[in-house]
Each structure stands twice: as structure tokens, then as C-alpha cells.
Amino acid sequence: MAENNEKRSREEKVILVTGGTGLVGKAIEKVVGDDPRPDEKWVFMSSKDADLTSEAETAALFEKHQPTHVIHLAAMVGGLFKNLAYNLDFWRVNIKINDNVLNTAFKFKCRKVVSCLSTCIFPNKTTYPIDETMVHNGPPHDSNFGYSYAKRMIDVQNKAYHKQHGCQFTSVIPTNVFGPWDNFNLEDGHVLPGLMHKCRTSKKQDTPFTIWGTGSPRRQFIYSYDLARLFLWTLREYEEIDPIILSVGEEDEVSIKEAAEMVVEAFEFKGEVVYDTSKSDGQFKKTASNAKLRKYLPDFKFTPIKQAIKETVDWFEANYEIARK
Ligand code: NAP
Ligand code: GDP
């Protein structure tokens, strides 16, 4: 197994993308497909190919594909309301997946692994803007502590694999992601796909469009295709073990109310908009600095949020039957 990998030419890359069928995985697949490189073979996998909570299935997957590189996206993922309900499951499932993927990548002598953290894992009580040095500075927000601690351990594992074995295992910290192939399920999903789903229904049924919480919390949103382009840069160019925040700037943070207004505009919804303040607001904000990213890529252009929301709404309309909802 590992021998096969060592024999491979240093030029040829086989890149295994765990979670390759989700929001971020599908975006990476599209961006890779738009500009394929002859020295890169990509494998996008879903939970149907292997349940990564199983060590044996993880090993069989690596045995089959012999990856030289891994983009590790697979995770139990969800918005605020799924996290509030399932903190224990988020912890257990994600710890198992991450340990299996990283240790199997180590055994197969993979040359590089890029895993995915999230800006929602940072300490709740903090100074702003948050940066990469603050991951372990204090307890995360209580709404998603299971997910957060499991994700933080990826950074611990990366450092340990590097110190003990010299592995090039690193991680990225995206802010709230949205785009085509998102999870539009109201109970499980994140805010933007949830708002899009609700607004579409309200327009069709001529009912009020309900935003959960007060609308005042603030978020930085990144379009999945922008994140995908940054993921490729990380895989190909970024050499640090320490994580890097992949986010729009602090000045691009918007309130949930402003995000909802952009969804209303994209749908050309003319009905009533109401707030259900009996629902949780979650973390008020998690404003992250992208200064480190900007040092590496000063000229990277993010898609304007209004355009990205419109494109996602158009995708949701066109793919309503197959969308996760
Ligand atoms: P997603 O759309 O829910 O996709 C999750 C992916 O993980 C799917 O491909 C799923 O496969 C796979 N998966 C889940 N459980 C698995 C298991 N036991 N074995 C194998 N595969 C499994 O999630 P996403 O939004 O693309 O998230 C990708 C990564 O970005 C995650 O690590 C997440 O924590 C991180 N992230 C997401 C956001 C966000 O706002 N969405 C923000 C920051 C960070 P199936 O489809 O076959 O089930
Ligand atoms: P978070 O960014 O990790 O907190 O997770 P979400 O993407 O689920 O965003 C949660 C924020 O959006 C909270 O302030 C919610 O009150 C607010 N929100 C408003 N409407 C919705 C909705 O339909 N779904 C979700 N998930 N959140 C909503």
C-alpha cells in the first residue's frame, strides 16, 4: 500500500476529496473541471463509497485509490438548530471521521492533507477580529461545542503528525459557506439555504416569509466557488501546518436581516417579512480577519455577495427537484 505511493512519480498527484458530494466538494469538482491539470487525478467520494466513521472502510477506500493528496471535507455538518440538538453526535461522528482519515493518510504516506475547520469553532468570548492564533483560546459558543471541539482537534492532530512524523497535514478555516448543492433542509441546514427555501415557499404560497431570531447577528459569507478556488491554492501552494482563515474581509460582514433582504430581492418576493424571535440567534458574531490570506493572495477577487446569492437562488429554482431539502 504505502510502497505503491512511494513508487509513484513525484509529479503525479491522486487527490482524494472526502465529502466530495457536498456543498464544498461539488464546488471544488466544478472549479477543477473548468481548468483541469494533466498531473492531477481527482477522486470525489461520498459516504456511499465509504463510511469514514469506520476504520476498515476508510482503509479500503485508500487502498482502492492510493491517494497522494487528500482534501478532507467529510463531516457531520449542520446549521445552528441541528447543532443545538445533536452536540454529542457532532462530537462523536466527527472525531471518528477525522481520526480515521488522518491516520489512514499517514499510513498510506500521503504527501499532503488539507482538512476543514470553521470560523464557528473559535472562542465565544474573544476580541475581534478573530485570527488563526486564537483557535484554542477559550470555550466555543455553547450552541455547537460538540462540532467545535471535534474540529479543533484536527489542528492538534495536524501539529502532532507533523512533529512526530514530519507529515504535511494542514487545515483551512472557512467562514459561512453557501452556493449550489447546499443543504436547503430547514431543520438541518445553514441560514442562507434555509432563507432561500422559506422565501421560495412563501412566494409560491403567498404566505409571510419568516426569518428566525432577531436578524441582528452578523456573519461573513463565502461563495462556495470562491472557497473552492482558495482550496486549490491551499492544496497546491500553502506550505504551513498552521491553519489559514478563508473568508471575505471584515468589511463584508452582513447582518442576517441584510442577508434575508438579498434573498428577498433575488426571488423578487413582494410579500410580508416577519421575525420569529422565539428562535435562537446563536452566536452574535464571529468576525474573522483574512489578513493572513491577503498576505499570500492580495489580489484574490471574491464574488460580490448579491451576485452569489442570485446565482444560488437561480440554481435552487432550476434544481429544486434534486436539491437536498
Ligand atoms: P455537506 O454539504 O453537508 O457535505 C458533507 C459531505 O460529507 C458529503 O459529501 C457527505 O457524503 C460526507 N459525509 C458525511 N458523513 C460521512 C461519513 N460518515 N463518511 C463519509 N462521508 C461522509 O457539507 P459542506 O457544507 O460541504 O462541508 C464541507 C466541510 O466544510 C465540512 O468539513 C464542514 O465542517 C466545513 N465547513 C462548512 C461550512 C458551511 O457553512 N457549510 C462552513 C465552514 C466549514 P454524503 O453526501 O454521501 O452523505
Ligand atoms: P451559524 O452561523 O453557525 O450560527 O449557523 P447558521 O448558518 O445556522 O446561522 C444561524 C443564524 O441565522 C442565527 O442567528 C439564526 O437565528 C439565523 N437564522 C434566521 N433564519 C434562519 C434559518 O432559516 N435557518 C437557520 N439555520 N438560521 C436562521
Side-chain angles (χ1 to χ4, degrees), residues 79-81 176 189-191 194-195 198 211-213 217 219 256 280-281 286:
L80 169 64
F81 298 94
N176 288 53
H190 288 95
V191 56
L195 291 174
K198 286 189 284 191
I211 297 155
W212 293 342
R219 297 288 183 268
I256 299 297
S280 171
D281 265 347
K286 39 193 175 179

